[in-house]
Amino acid sequence: MAKTQEHRSDYLTARRLAKILALDDFEGVARRHLPRPLFGYIAGASETNASLRDNRNAFAEFGFRPHTLRDVSLRSTATTILGTRYAAPFGIAPMGISALMAYRGDIVLARAAAEADIPMIMSGSSLIPLEEVAKAAPHSWFQAYLPGEPDRIDALLDRVAAAGFGTLLLTVDVAILPNRENNVRAGFSTPLRPSLRLAWQGLTHPSWTVGTFARTLLNHGMPHFENSYATRGAPIIARSVSRDFGKRDHLNWEHLEQIRRRWKGRLVVKGIMRADDALRAAEYGVDGIIVSNHGGRQLDGTLAPLRVLPRIAEAAGDKTTVMLDGGVRRGTDVLKALALGAKFVFVGRPFLYAAAVGGHAGVMKAANILSEEIWRDMALLGINSIEELTTDYIERLRGD
């Protein structure tokens, strides 16, 4: 009986994925599969969604200048970042509460990333203990949301190191929680409040209710925020959840200095949007920065990362490794970011949609789609390696 159900589930997943040709296609399928509050949590940003829209619009403002009559038969999408060679120049960005969207979501994302030979960054707002993810996919990165409290910082860093993570990513654009009124309108809240509206969403989305939520409760109990600090956090329905997010507004450069002294692995700072901040981070010894506006989920009206990338990359030079996330959906987006100075990019929402609707197979399909687009686009651009990309291949179409 269990085998029959497994075959049926695999068949339905295959059917669901068969018509997906691009990363954007996962969104429509996820909209139908997920309860409205959960889909709204992923899809939405803050206030007017201005930054979310600009993340995509910025890519449309650049065009390519391809070379022709070049032998591109030996091209490779492989690239090296922070001393590790990956099969493609992109990875999976950190995304909170992934295990509420897909069964064991963080592990699904991490294992698929390992199979695809790309990095996956586990979110500090995750619902699975970081030790389990490190065991399932040892080369994953860990993202921390840290408060300005030295003792708590040291305790979490020691826990992450003991689990075996080699790369720590500190997100620095979350001094306080933003005004995500879109979440409220969609019915999502932290803590998650049981209601008739939420119950109705569960009844009308049985595939998610049975395959993700009920399965999680049965096998692992009520989800908790497992990795905000060194000790287990509150369950997702607890009123104390909001207190667990406190004192991030105390975090400052002195704490980064403390982190750099304590953390012996690779250290990356995410959320940099200014060249002077990038230079200061480099002075504190970080190995890399990610130019990011948090997917438009923090300060609404913040520029798209792609717009500030060139000046940050120029200022940083070889002082630190510059990466980018925000708005990447196509292989051409990846190549534009690399041409403008990024050494690597990260992609968020599409991979979480893929995990929600297709599990491991969905994430693998998303990774394959983007990798194949890059491989194809490299031939059309006239290059054999990622390292060949420079601003010579790209030109601004309009704007400053």
Side-chain angles (χ1 to χ4, degrees):
M1 181 69 174
K3 206 70 174 176
T4 301
Q5 289 178 337
E6 185 178 334
H7 285 319
R8 175 172 170 75
S9 176
D10 290 344
Y11 171 73
L12 292 175
T13 297
R15 282 194 59 185
R16 192 180 288 158
L17 297 177
K19 295 182 179 179
I20 290 178
L21 304 178
L23 291 191
D24 278 340
D25 294 342
F26 284 105
E27 183 171 347
V29 182
R31 185 189 297 271
R32 295 188 292 273
H33 171 72
L34 291 169
R36 184 169 178 260
L38 298 189
F39 177 81
Y41 172 80
I42 304 172
S46 62
E47 297 186 350
T48 67
N49 289 337
S51 293
L52 176 65
R53 290 191 300 272
D54 197 43
N55 285 358
R56 288 297 304 133
N57 293 340
F59 284 99
E61 295 180 12
F62 291 90
F64 291 113
R65 300 173 61 237
H67 276 290
T68 55
L69 291 176
R70 287 189 168 184
D71 182 352
V72 290
S73 60
L74 298 178
R75 66 195 178 280
S76 169
T77 61
T79 192
T80 298
I81 194 76
L82 301 182
T84 301
R85 191 77 169 167
Y86 292 108
F90 66 87
I92 301 177
M95 292 170 285
I97 65 172
S98 295
L100 200 59
M101 312 301 173
Y103 179 69
R104 309 302 279 167
D106 301 284
I107 292 178
V108 167
L109 289 163
R111 281 180 170 160
E115 185 175 333
D117 192 20
I118 59 174
M120 175 269 190
I121 308 173
M122 182 185 187
S123 171
S125 295
S126 44
L127 307 176
I128 296 176
L130 61 88
E131 291 82 3
E132 293 185 31
V133 175
K135 184 177 179 181
H139 298 294
S140 304
W141 302 8
F142 182 78
Q143 174 227 28
Y145 290 117
L146 291 172
E149 299 173 281
D151 291 346
R152 280 188 151 184
I153 290 173
D154 285 348
L156 180 60
L157 294 185
D158 292 347
R159 180 186 171 192
V160 175
F165 286 93
T167 302
L168 175 74
L169 183 143
L170 174 67
T171 293
V172 294
D173 57 1
V174 286
I176 62 171
L177 294 175
N179 178 22
R180 294 184 186 167
E181 59 196 49
N182 299 294
N183 287 355
V184 178
R185 291 192 177 98
F188 184 89
S189 63
T190 303
L192 198 62
R193 298 184 181 90
S195 65
L196 289 176
R197 180 182 181 185
L198 199 59
W200 174 250
Q201 285 293 317
L203 289 171
T204 54
H205 295 80
S207 179
W208 172 85
T209 301
V210 174
T212 300
F213 191 62
R215 192 177 171 193
T216 298
L217 289 179
L218 181 64
N219 294 328
H220 307 282
M222 179 60 67
H224 285 59
F225 285 98
E226 300 281 359
N227 309 303
S228 297
Y229 302 111
T231 56
R232 191 183 202 195
I236 58 173
I237 60 173
R239 291 183 178 180
S240 60
V241 163
S242 58
R243 291 199 299 273
D244 278 357
F245 297 146
K247 293 202 174 180
R248 292 180 186 169
D249 57 348
H250 290 55
L251 193 70
N252 59 49
W253 291 101
E254 291 180 4
H255 298 115
L256 179 60
E257 184 177 22
Q258 172 192 346
I259 293 165
R260 180 67 283 182
R261 284 197 311 267
R262 187 96 175 184
W263 179 256
K264 305 308 179 186
R266 294 173 294 274
L267 178 61
V268 177
V269 173
K270 177 177 178 285
I272 298 292
M273 288 291 292
R274 297 175 57 97
D276 51 356
D277 282 347
L279 287 173
R280 191 169 184 184
E283 290 171 2
Y284 279 85
V286 303
D287 299 288
I289 63 166
I290 299 181
V291 182
S292 171
N293 65 10
H294 215 101
R297 297 168 72 85
Q298 289 299 111
L299 177 63
D300 194 36
T302 300
L303 290 166
L306 194 74
R307 297 189 189 282
V308 298
L309 172 63
R311 73 191 75 161
I312 290 176
E314 182 179 5
D318 59 1
K319 299 180 183 69
T320 192
T321 299
V322 177
M323 298 165 274
L324 173 139
D325 85 351
V328 175
R329 295 294 181 271
R330 309 294 309 221
T332 49
D333 297 338
V334 175
L335 296 179
K336 287 176 182 180
L338 298 176
L340 288 170
K343 300 299 183 184
F344 207 79
V345 305
F346 286 90
V347 185
R349 290 177 174 94
F351 279 104
L352 189 49
Y353 293 142
V357 303
H360 183 89
V363 180
M364 288 302 301
K365 178 151 191 176
N368 289 336
I369 285 173
L370 195 54
S371 293
E372 289 174 5
E373 286 184 355
I374 295 169
W375 185 76
R376 185 184 306 115
D377 296 335
M378 288 174 66
L380 298 173
L381 196 55
I383 60 174
N384 279 298
S385 69
I386 296 300
E387 289 72 24
E388 292 177 53
L389 277 168
T390 66
T391 54
D392 181 59
Y393 285 89
I394 200 166
E395 189 165 312
R396 183 181 289 275
L397 302 178
R398 58 183 180 273
D400 297 333

